[in-house]
Amino acid sequence: MVGIILASHGGFAEGIYQSGEMIFGKQENVKACILKPSEGPDDIRKKMEDAIASFDDPEQVLFLIDLWSGTPFNQASNLFAEHKDTWAIVTGLNLPMLIEAYGARLQDGITAREIAKQIVGSAKDGIKTLPEGLVPKKEAPKAAESKQPTGAIPEGTVLGDGHIKYGLVRIDSRLLHGQVATAWTKSVRPDRIIVVSDNVSKDKLRKNMIIQAAPPGVRANVVPIKKMIEVSKDPRFGATKALVLFENPEDALKAIEGGVDIKTLNIGSMAHSEGKVAVNKVLSLNEKDVETYDKLNEMGIKFDVRKVPNDSPENMMDLVNKAREELTKKK
């Protein structure tokens, strides 16, 4: 029987698992894997790997995930890369989709990919309104207009005022994920997302995943720190409004010291790992992080501590001092 993994941000996957059981009865070879606010990509991946290992037939796995480009999707996609011939991923998880999947996998010999094809229609048909006239007529989606020129631009060309515009510069250990691809992109409206990381720029799989996760109308690039420093001084990017993502504060500091004109850093999430202490639900810092934020603060960099645009900002240096105290106690 095809194994099914329900994956989501927060407890959504567990809730819909319970709802499906109420309607369709208890199910075997189904696991709910949730990403908690304090967890990172490695945590949700480990949960998925453990779930797959428990299935009767790990060669036939269907992922039903809440959001395209979110961390659960990105980690499932990473695992999927080694099983492209048999596994399948469907995002936009809802209850009609799940019930259809449960019914479909009762068919003898059906595969994960066949179920994936079958359930998309049920997921869409399950979206209805009262009054019925609220349902908009179907139109082809339009990509956001971009002011970015197409084709190669001769070196030395000056576009706009010759200086790249930073709509948002964010530190987030998950890099490009659901909160960035949806909430922040809609708020900032960039025409380019730039992930700056020496490590990720060398990882072909992660690099491709990030490029594929970019929302419609926004181009994504993954570059090493040295390249970002060069881009910041290249007048050909003068018409670019960028959303820049760093994996950690150390990389951001290197870029700023190299001449990247960053005035404010949005602090998103920093996953917990050995040697770190949690200072709130999504931020964990170690001694190196504390030293780096101290230096950035001394340089006059402002901090905007928010997961999503509607959050109330926290005081970053208060969180840094909290981490400093906790780390001192652990010595």
Side-chain angles (χ1 to χ4, degrees), residues 103-160:
R105 70 181 188 147
L106 296 177
Q107 303 172 46
D108 290 337
I110 195 167
T111 66
R113 301 185 76 172
E114 289 169 339
I115 295 175
K117 290 180 182 179
Q118 186 172 326
I119 65 178
V120 172
S122 295
K124 292 180 179 179
D125 292 342
I127 301 173
K128 302 180 184 296
T129 66
L130 283 177
E132 295 180 358
L134 296 177
V135 179
K137 293 182 179 179
K138 293 182 180 180
E139 295 181 0
K142 294 180 180 179
E145 292 185 8
S146 173
K147 296 180 181 179
Q148 290 293 294
T150 57
I153 304 171
E155 189 172 348
T157 301
V158 178
L159 296 179

Side-chain angles (χ1 to χ4, degrees), residues 12 38 48 54 61 77 80 86 97 101 120 141 155-156 195-196 212 234 285 295 298 320:
F12 172 60
S38 61
M48 291 176 177
S54 73
V61 177
S77 182
F80 168 80
T86 56
M97 175 197 294
V120 172
E155 189 172 348
V195 171
V196 185
Q212 292 172 7
D234 192 329
L285 309 178
K295 189 164 187 178
E298 292 169 2
V320 170

Side-chain angles (χ1 to χ4, degrees), residues 277-281 283-285 314 319-320 322-324 326:
V277 293
V279 293
N280 65 17
K281 291 182 178 180
L283 285 177
S284 293
L285 309 178
E314 296 184 67
L319 296 174
V320 170
K322 180 180 179 181
R324 196 188 329 269
E326 293 296 322

Side-chain angles (χ1 to χ4, degrees), residues 205-220:
L205 179 59
R206 289 188 70 190
K207 186 174 180 178
N208 288 337
M209 285 170 55
I210 287 169
I211 292 172
Q212 292 172 7
V218 183
R219 183 176 177 183

